[in-house]
Amino acid sequence: MKLVLAPLLVCLTAFSAMAADDAAKQHATDFAAKAAMSNMFEIEAAKIEIASGKADDAKQFAHDMIRDHGKAGPVLNNAAKQDGIELPAALDAEYTAKLAALRQSDAANLDQAYLSTQVTAHEEAVNLFESYSKQGPDGQLKRTAAKILPDLRMHLTRIRGLTLK
């Protein structure tokens, strides 16, 4: 009986470890995809504001988002590669729809629409990066999330200040 139980116990232990590894990999993959989408969205939304917006403070924020998120994208991509995760190359339907709505805003309301999307986007990004930096599996993505988080918090503070004017 012991001869039968020992191999079974080894198999169960190995299966449990593989399941934990799969769950960690899925958690990392989910984070990386959401983070990449958020980053791409920030850049594309900023381009719309720069091209059609009127308010100088909103346009300056948009320029800064292109700069900052343009730097964060390659850092995130490198971290994902190191952890064996491929990032999406294009926006998903949800973000594409958000950009379409922003493009359809009339000139009088574009600045406010842009700023509003930025509050929501940065709240979601801060929550995503904060959660992953605390609860994500160890790896380069987790370290990168912690590294990018202070910039996202600063963006959120700044955008909240712009929307209170």
Side-chain angles (χ1 to χ4, degrees):
M1 185 69 155
K2 287 183 182 180
L3 290 175
V4 172
L5 290 179
L8 181 61
L9 185 59
V10 168
C11 287
L12 286 174
T13 303
F15 179 73
S16 178
M18 287 188 324
D21 287 347
D22 287 348
K25 179 81 169 194
Q26 188 60 52
H27 188 196
T29 300
D30 291 347
F31 164 76
K34 289 175 185 174
M37 290 287 170
S38 176
N39 199 62
M40 287 186 283
F41 173 76
E42 291 292 334
I43 292 169
E44 294 306 312
K47 288 177 183 177
I48 295 167
E49 173 60 26
I50 290 167
S52 303
K54 304 290 183 236
D56 289 338
D57 55 354
K59 289 178 95 153
Q60 183 57 55
F61 185 80
H63 280 287
D64 294 346
M65 293 306 94
I66 289 175
R67 181 196 64 223
D68 293 354
H69 288 278
K71 290 177 185 175
V75 171
L76 185 64
N77 191 30
N78 288 337
K81 281 183 183 177
Q82 288 180 31
D83 286 356
I85 296 168
E86 189 172 328
L87 296 180
L91 291 171
D92 64 10
E94 177 186 351
Y95 281 111
T96 300
K98 289 179 182 182
L99 288 175
L102 194 57
R103 281 187 192 99
Q104 292 172 0
S105 294
D106 60 37
N109 295 317
L110 177 62
D111 295 317
Q112 186 56 44
Y114 171 70
L115 294 174
S116 177
T117 65
Q118 292 308 293
V119 171
T120 302
H122 281 92
E123 287 172 346
E124 290 172 357
V126 165
N127 290 336
L128 176 68
F129 278 71
E130 187 171 60
S131 174
Y132 193 80
S133 68
K134 291 178 182 175
Q135 300 167 350
D138 287 334
Q140 192 58 40
L141 272 172
K142 184 174 183 173
R143 289 185 289 280
T144 298
K147 180 180 173 185
I148 293 173
L149 183 58
D151 289 338
L152 294 172
R153 285 185 177 136
M154 184 267 305
H155 292 165
L156 180 57
T157 298
R158 187 169 162 211
I159 194 63
R160 283 180 173 159
L162 288 174
T163 58
L164 294 177
K165 288 184 176 182

